[in-house]
PDB file of all heavy atoms in Angstrom:
ATOM      1  N   VAL P  64       1.860  28.590  -7.610  1.00  0.00           N
ATOM      2  CA  VAL P  64       0.841  29.002  -8.571  1.00  0.00           C
ATOM      3  C   VAL P  64      -0.437  28.167  -8.430  1.00  0.00           C
ATOM      4  O   VAL P  64      -1.540  28.706  -8.486  1.00  0.00           O
ATOM      5  CB  VAL P  64       1.396  28.929 -10.010  1.00  0.00           C
ATOM      6  CG1 VAL P  64       0.324  29.244 -11.032  1.00  0.00           C
ATOM      7  CG2 VAL P  64       2.567  29.899 -10.156  1.00  0.00           C
ATOM      8  N   THR P  65      -0.291  26.860  -8.240  1.00  0.00           N
ATOM      9  CA  THR P  65      -1.451  25.972  -8.097  1.00  0.00           C
ATOM     10  C   THR P  65      -1.236  25.051  -6.898  1.00  0.00           C
ATOM     11  O   THR P  65      -0.874  23.886  -7.068  1.00  0.00           O
ATOM     12  CB  THR P  65      -1.688  25.131  -9.373  1.00  0.00           C
ATOM     13  OG1 THR P  65      -0.489  24.413  -9.672  1.00  0.00           O
ATOM     14  CG2 THR P  65      -2.084  25.983 -10.551  1.00  0.00           C
ATOM     15  N   PRO P  66      -1.426  25.565  -5.700  1.00  0.00           N
ATOM     16  CA  PRO P  66      -1.167  24.769  -4.493  1.00  0.00           C
ATOM     17  C   PRO P  66      -1.973  23.471  -4.491  1.00  0.00           C
ATOM     18  O   PRO P  66      -3.116  23.437  -4.920  1.00  0.00           O
ATOM     19  CB  PRO P  66      -1.616  25.676  -3.349  1.00  0.00           C
ATOM     20  CG  PRO P  66      -1.827  27.019  -3.929  1.00  0.00           C
ATOM     21  CD  PRO P  66      -1.977  26.868  -5.401  1.00  0.00           C
ATOM     22  N   GLY P  67      -1.330  22.407  -4.002  1.00  0.00           N
ATOM     23  CA  GLY P  67      -2.024  21.130  -3.877  1.00  0.00           C
ATOM     24  C   GLY P  67      -1.995  20.262  -5.121  1.00  0.00           C
ATOM     25  O   GLY P  67      -2.544  19.164  -5.125  1.00  0.00           O
ATOM     26  N   THR P  68      -1.349  20.728  -6.187  1.00  0.00           N
ATOM     27  CA  THR P  68      -1.253  19.904  -7.388  1.00  0.00           C
ATOM     28  C   THR P  68      -0.527  18.604  -7.065  1.00  0.00           C
ATOM     29  O   THR P  68      -0.880  17.543  -7.571  1.00  0.00           O
ATOM     30  CB  THR P  68      -0.521  20.664  -8.513  1.00  0.00           C
ATOM     31  OG1 THR P  68      -1.234  21.868  -8.794  1.00  0.00           O
ATOM     32  CG2 THR P  68      -0.415  19.832  -9.773  1.00  0.00           C
ATOM     33  N   TYR P  69       0.475  18.686  -6.218  1.00  0.00           N
ATOM     34  CA  TYR P  69       1.215  17.512  -5.745  1.00  0.00           C
ATOM     35  C   TYR P  69       1.110  17.473  -4.227  1.00  0.00           C
ATOM     36  O   TYR P  69       1.056  18.518  -3.576  1.00  0.00           O
ATOM     37  CB  TYR P  69       2.683  17.573  -6.185  1.00  0.00           C
ATOM     38  CG  TYR P  69       2.823  17.548  -7.684  1.00  0.00           C
ATOM     39  CD1 TYR P  69       2.927  18.725  -8.411  1.00  0.00           C
ATOM     40  CD2 TYR P  69       2.812  16.345  -8.376  1.00  0.00           C
ATOM     41  CE1 TYR P  69       3.024  18.709  -9.796  1.00  0.00           C
ATOM     42  CE2 TYR P  69       2.912  16.311  -9.763  1.00  0.00           C
ATOM     43  CZ  TYR P  69       3.009  17.491 -10.459  1.00  0.00           C
ATOM     44  OH  TYR P  69       3.107  17.461 -11.820  1.00  0.00           O
ATOM     45  N   ARG P  70       1.085  16.277  -3.662  1.00  0.00           N
ATOM     46  CA  ARG P  70       0.968  16.129  -2.207  1.00  0.00           C
ATOM     47  C   ARG P  70       2.212  16.622  -1.487  1.00  0.00           C
ATOM     48  O   ARG P  70       2.129  17.101  -0.361  1.00  0.00           O
ATOM     49  CB  ARG P  70       0.704  14.671  -1.844  1.00  0.00           C
ATOM     50  CG  ARG P  70      -0.661  14.174  -2.298  1.00  0.00           C
ATOM     51  CD  ARG P  70      -0.944  12.755  -1.817  1.00  0.00           C
ATOM     52  NE  ARG P  70      -0.006  11.763  -2.293  1.00  0.00           N
ATOM     53  CZ  ARG P  70      -0.103  11.111  -3.449  1.00  0.00           C
ATOM     54  NH1 ARG P  70      -1.109  11.345  -4.250  1.00  0.00           N
ATOM     55  NH2 ARG P  70       0.809  10.224  -3.794  1.00  0.00           N
ATOM     56  N   SER P  71       3.367  16.512  -2.132  1.00  0.00           N
ATOM     57  CA  SER P  71       4.626  16.888  -1.497  1.00  0.00           C
ATOM     58  C   SER P  71       5.716  16.930  -2.566  1.00  0.00           C
ATOM     59  O   SER P  71       5.501  16.532  -3.717  1.00  0.00           O
ATOM     60  CB  SER P  71       5.012  15.854  -0.430  1.00  0.00           C
ATOM     61  OG  SER P  71       5.251  14.597  -1.050  1.00  0.00           O
ATOM     62  N   GLN P  72       6.900  17.358  -2.134  1.00  0.00           N
ATOM     63  CA  GLN P  72       8.067  17.331  -3.027  1.00  0.00           C
ATOM     64  C   GLN P  72       8.346  15.888  -3.448  1.00  0.00           C
ATOM     65  O   GLN P  72       8.669  15.624  -4.605  1.00  0.00           O
ATOM     66  CB  GLN P  72       9.283  17.926  -2.318  1.00  0.00           C
ATOM     67  CG  GLN P  72      10.563  17.850  -3.122  1.00  0.00           C
ATOM     68  CD  GLN P  72      10.705  18.960  -4.138  1.00  0.00           C
ATOM     69  OE1 GLN P  72      10.554  20.122  -3.781  1.00  0.00           O
ATOM     70  NE2 GLN P  72      11.020  18.639  -5.375  1.00  0.00           N
ATOM     71  N   LEU P  73       8.207  14.969  -2.517  1.00  0.00           N
ATOM     72  CA  LEU P  73       8.441  13.561  -2.826  1.00  0.00           C
ATOM     73  C   LEU P  73       7.470  13.064  -3.895  1.00  0.00           C
ATOM     74  O   LEU P  73       7.860  12.348  -4.821  1.00  0.00           O
ATOM     75  CB  LEU P  73       8.327  12.701  -1.559  1.00  0.00           C
ATOM     76  CG  LEU P  73       8.506  11.200  -1.754  1.00  0.00           C
ATOM     77  CD1 LEU P  73       9.894  10.874  -2.302  1.00  0.00           C
ATOM     78  CD2 LEU P  73       8.274  10.468  -0.428  1.00  0.00           C
ATOM     79  N   HIS P  74       6.209  13.451  -3.806  1.00  0.00           N
ATOM     80  CA  HIS P  74       5.214  13.065  -4.809  1.00  0.00           C
ATOM     81  C   HIS P  74       5.601  13.608  -6.186  1.00  0.00           C
ATOM     82  O   HIS P  74       5.557  12.898  -7.194  1.00  0.00           O
ATOM     83  CB  HIS P  74       3.827  13.572  -4.379  1.00  0.00           C
ATOM     84  CG  HIS P  74       2.738  13.235  -5.348  1.00  0.00           C
ATOM     85  ND1 HIS P  74       1.713  14.100  -5.623  1.00  0.00           N
ATOM     86  CD2 HIS P  74       2.507  12.142  -6.110  1.00  0.00           C
ATOM     87  CE1 HIS P  74       0.896  13.563  -6.516  1.00  0.00           C
ATOM     88  NE2 HIS P  74       1.365  12.362  -6.828  1.00  0.00           N
ATOM     89  N   PHE P  75       6.011  14.884  -6.223  1.00  0.00           N
ATOM     90  CA  PHE P  75       6.460  15.490  -7.474  1.00  0.00           C
ATOM     91  C   PHE P  75       7.647  14.715  -8.039  1.00  0.00           C
ATOM     92  O   PHE P  75       7.679  14.370  -9.222  1.00  0.00           O
ATOM     93  CB  PHE P  75       6.843  16.953  -7.238  1.00  0.00           C
ATOM     94  CG  PHE P  75       7.443  17.628  -8.442  1.00  0.00           C
ATOM     95  CD1 PHE P  75       6.637  18.146  -9.434  1.00  0.00           C
ATOM     96  CD2 PHE P  75       8.822  17.733  -8.581  1.00  0.00           C
ATOM     97  CE1 PHE P  75       7.188  18.766 -10.551  1.00  0.00           C
ATOM     98  CE2 PHE P  75       9.384  18.349  -9.693  1.00  0.00           C
ATOM     99  CZ  PHE P  75       8.564  18.870 -10.672  1.00  0.00           C
ATOM    100  N   ASN P  76       8.640  14.430  -7.166  1.00  0.00           N
ATOM    101  CA  ASN P  76       9.831  13.696  -7.617  1.00  0.00           C
ATOM    102  C   ASN P  76       9.472  12.323  -8.145  1.00  0.00           C
ATOM    103  O   ASN P  76      10.004  11.873  -9.169  1.00  0.00           O
ATOM    104  CB  ASN P  76      10.841  13.564  -6.480  1.00  0.00           C
ATOM    105  CG  ASN P  76      11.500  14.877  -6.131  1.00  0.00           C
ATOM    106  OD1 ASN P  76      11.372  15.872  -6.860  1.00  0.00           O
ATOM    107  ND2 ASN P  76      12.187  14.910  -5.019  1.00  0.00           N
ATOM    108  N   THR P  77       8.570  11.638  -7.463  1.00  0.00           N
ATOM    109  CA  THR P  77       8.152  10.305  -7.894  1.00  0.00           C
ATOM    110  C   THR P  77       7.528  10.348  -9.288  1.00  0.00           C
ATOM    111  O   THR P  77       7.756   9.460 -10.107  1.00  0.00           O
ATOM    112  CB  THR P  77       7.152   9.701  -6.887  1.00  0.00           C
ATOM    113  OG1 THR P  77       7.775   9.667  -5.603  1.00  0.00           O
ATOM    114  CG2 THR P  77       6.727   8.311  -7.290  1.00  0.00           C
ATOM    115  N   CYS P  78       6.769  11.388  -9.555  1.00  0.00           N
ATOM    116  CA  CYS P  78       6.093  11.513 -10.857  1.00  0.00           C
ATOM    117  C   CYS P  78       7.017  11.980 -11.978  1.00  0.00           C
ATOM    118  O   CYS P  78       6.833  11.579 -13.123  1.00  0.00           O
ATOM    119  CB  CYS P  78       4.936  12.500 -10.745  1.00  0.00           C
ATOM    120  SG  CYS P  78       3.588  11.962  -9.700  1.00  0.00           S
ATOM    121  N   HIS P  79       8.004  12.827 -11.665  1.00  0.00           N
ATOM    122  CA  HIS P  79       8.704  13.521 -12.742  1.00  0.00           C
ATOM    123  C   HIS P  79      10.226  13.499 -12.717  1.00  0.00           C
ATOM    124  O   HIS P  79      10.850  13.941 -13.672  1.00  0.00           O
ATOM    125  CB  HIS P  79       8.281  14.995 -12.767  1.00  0.00           C
ATOM    126  CG  HIS P  79       6.818  15.188 -12.927  1.00  0.00           C
ATOM    127  ND1 HIS P  79       6.141  14.889 -14.077  1.00  0.00           N
ATOM    128  CD2 HIS P  79       5.886  15.624 -12.046  1.00  0.00           C
ATOM    129  CE1 HIS P  79       4.859  15.153 -13.929  1.00  0.00           C
ATOM    130  NE2 HIS P  79       4.680  15.605 -12.695  1.00  0.00           N
ATOM    131  N   VAL P  80      10.822  13.056 -11.641  1.00  0.00           N
ATOM    132  CA  VAL P  80      12.274  13.174 -11.522  1.00  0.00           C
ATOM    133  C   VAL P  80      12.902  11.788 -11.552  1.00  0.00           C
ATOM    134  O   VAL P  80      12.433  10.868 -10.907  1.00  0.00           O
ATOM    135  CB  VAL P  80      12.668  13.903 -10.216  1.00  0.00           C
ATOM    136  CG1 VAL P  80      14.178  13.980 -10.077  1.00  0.00           C
ATOM    137  CG2 VAL P  80      12.059  15.300 -10.199  1.00  0.00           C
ATOM    138  N   GLU P  81      13.956  11.669 -12.328  1.00  0.00           N
ATOM    139  CA  GLU P  81      14.705  10.417 -12.377  1.00  0.00           C
ATOM    140  C   GLU P  81      16.077  10.665 -11.772  1.00  0.00           C
ATOM    141  O   GLU P  81      16.791  11.568 -12.180  1.00  0.00           O
ATOM    142  CB  GLU P  81      14.859   9.952 -13.826  1.00  0.00           C
ATOM    143  CG  GLU P  81      15.609   8.665 -13.956  1.00  0.00           C
ATOM    144  CD  GLU P  81      15.687   8.191 -15.400  1.00  0.00           C
ATOM    145  OE1 GLU P  81      14.819   8.538 -16.204  1.00  0.00           O
ATOM    146  OE2 GLU P  81      16.658   7.480 -15.709  1.00  0.00           O
ATOM    147  N   PHE P  82      16.394   9.898 -10.759  1.00  0.00           N
ATOM    148  CA  PHE P  82      17.694  10.027 -10.108  1.00  0.00           C
ATOM    149  C   PHE P  82      18.596   8.919 -10.621  1.00  0.00           C
ATOM    150  O   PHE P  82      18.183   7.774 -10.704  1.00  0.00           O
ATOM    151  CB  PHE P  82      17.551   9.906  -8.581  1.00  0.00           C
ATOM    152  CG  PHE P  82      16.815  11.051  -7.957  1.00  0.00           C
ATOM    153  CD1 PHE P  82      15.444  11.019  -7.794  1.00  0.00           C
ATOM    154  CD2 PHE P  82      17.506  12.180  -7.549  1.00  0.00           C
ATOM    155  CE1 PHE P  82      14.770  12.075  -7.222  1.00  0.00           C
ATOM    156  CE2 PHE P  82      16.845  13.246  -6.963  1.00  0.00           C
ATOM    157  CZ  PHE P  82      15.465  13.194  -6.803  1.00  0.00           C
ATOM    158  N   LYS P  83      19.800   9.270 -10.966  1.00  0.00           N
ATOM    159  CA  LYS P  83      20.770   8.277 -11.413  1.00  0.00           C
ATOM    160  C   LYS P  83      22.053   8.482 -10.634  1.00  0.00           C
ATOM    161  O   LYS P  83      22.496   9.602 -10.438  1.00  0.00           O
ATOM    162  CB  LYS P  83      21.066   8.424 -12.912  1.00  0.00           C
ATOM    163  CG  LYS P  83      19.924   8.062 -13.807  1.00  0.00           C
ATOM    164  CD  LYS P  83      20.346   8.132 -15.265  1.00  0.00           C
ATOM    165  CE  LYS P  83      19.194   7.719 -16.145  1.00  0.00           C
ATOM    166  NZ  LYS P  83      19.555   7.725 -17.550  1.00  0.00           N
ATOM    167  N   ASP P  84      22.630   7.395 -10.200  1.00  0.00           N
ATOM    168  CA  ASP P  84      23.943   7.472  -9.559  1.00  0.00           C
ATOM    169  C   ASP P  84      24.991   7.255 -10.630  1.00  0.00           C
ATOM    170  O   ASP P  84      24.962   6.257 -11.342  1.00  0.00           O
ATOM    171  CB  ASP P  84      24.092   6.395  -8.479  1.00  0.00           C
ATOM    172  CG  ASP P  84      23.331   6.748  -7.220  1.00  0.00           C
ATOM    173  OD1 ASP P  84      23.039   7.940  -7.037  1.00  0.00           O
ATOM    174  OD2 ASP P  84      23.031   5.843  -6.432  1.00  0.00           O
ATOM    175  N   ILE P  85      25.882   8.224 -10.771  1.00  0.00           N
ATOM    176  CA  ILE P  85      26.950   8.090 -11.746  1.00  0.00           C
ATOM    177  C   ILE P  85      28.275   8.184 -10.998  1.00  0.00           C
ATOM    178  O   ILE P  85      28.407   8.962 -10.048  1.00  0.00           O
ATOM    179  CB  ILE P  85      26.872   9.166 -12.847  1.00  0.00           C
ATOM    180  CG1 ILE P  85      26.929  10.577 -12.233  1.00  0.00           C
ATOM    181  CG2 ILE P  85      25.620   9.018 -13.691  1.00  0.00           C
ATOM    182  CD1 ILE P  85      27.129  11.655 -13.242  1.00  0.00           C
ATOM    183  N   PRO P  86      29.237   7.395 -11.392  1.00  0.00           N
ATOM    184  CA  PRO P  86      30.532   7.479 -10.709  1.00  0.00           C
ATOM    185  C   PRO P  86      31.268   8.744 -11.135  1.00  0.00           C
ATOM    186  O   PRO P  86      31.274   9.107 -12.307  1.00  0.00           O
ATOM    187  CB  PRO P  86      31.257   6.223 -11.178  1.00  0.00           C
ATOM    188  CG  PRO P  86      30.583   5.844 -12.450  1.00  0.00           C
ATOM    189  CD  PRO P  86      29.181   6.367 -12.400  1.00  0.00           C
ATOM    190  N   THR P  87      31.827   9.422 -10.177  1.00  0.00           N
ATOM    191  CA  THR P  87      32.598  10.628 -10.485  1.00  0.00           C
ATOM    192  C   THR P  87      33.941  10.557  -9.780  1.00  0.00           C
ATOM    193  O   THR P  87      34.079   9.917  -8.744  1.00  0.00           O
ATOM    194  CB  THR P  87      31.862  11.900 -10.013  1.00  0.00           C
ATOM    195  OG1 THR P  87      31.612  11.789  -8.625  1.00  0.00           O
ATOM    196  CG2 THR P  87      30.570  12.094 -10.761  1.00  0.00           C
ATOM    197  N   ARG P  88      34.906  11.222 -10.358  1.00  0.00           N
ATOM    198  CA  ARG P  88      36.227  11.283  -9.733  1.00  0.00           C
ATOM    199  C   ARG P  88      36.215  12.442  -8.756  1.00  0.00           C
ATOM    200  O   ARG P  88      35.910  13.566  -9.116  1.00  0.00           O
ATOM    201  CB  ARG P  88      37.295  11.493 -10.797  1.00  0.00           C
ATOM    202  CG  ARG P  88      37.483  10.281 -11.689  1.00  0.00           C
ATOM    203  CD  ARG P  88      38.451  10.581 -12.814  1.00  0.00           C
ATOM    204  NE  ARG P  88      39.673  11.231 -12.370  1.00  0.00           N
ATOM    205  CZ  ARG P  88      40.847  10.617 -12.222  1.00  0.00           C
ATOM    206  NH1 ARG P  88      40.954   9.344 -12.523  1.00  0.00           N
ATOM    207  NH2 ARG P  88      41.913  11.270 -11.812  1.00  0.00           N
TER     208      ARG P  88
END
């Protein structure tokens, strides 16, 4: 919809995504 808003997927993730490692069985 708005190309160029973020430089890349990584840029978007850095700004908005939180990754957490959780232990799973």
Side-chain angles (χ1 to χ4, degrees):
V64 175
T65 56
T68 301
Y69 297 95
R70 292 185 299 273
S71 64
Q72 176 82 51
L73 178 61
H74 180 218
F75 174 82
N76 289 349
T77 302
C78 293
H79 303 291
V80 178
E81 180 177 334
F82 292 90
K83 291 184 178 182
D84 284 339
I85 58 169
T87 57
R88 291 174 48 102

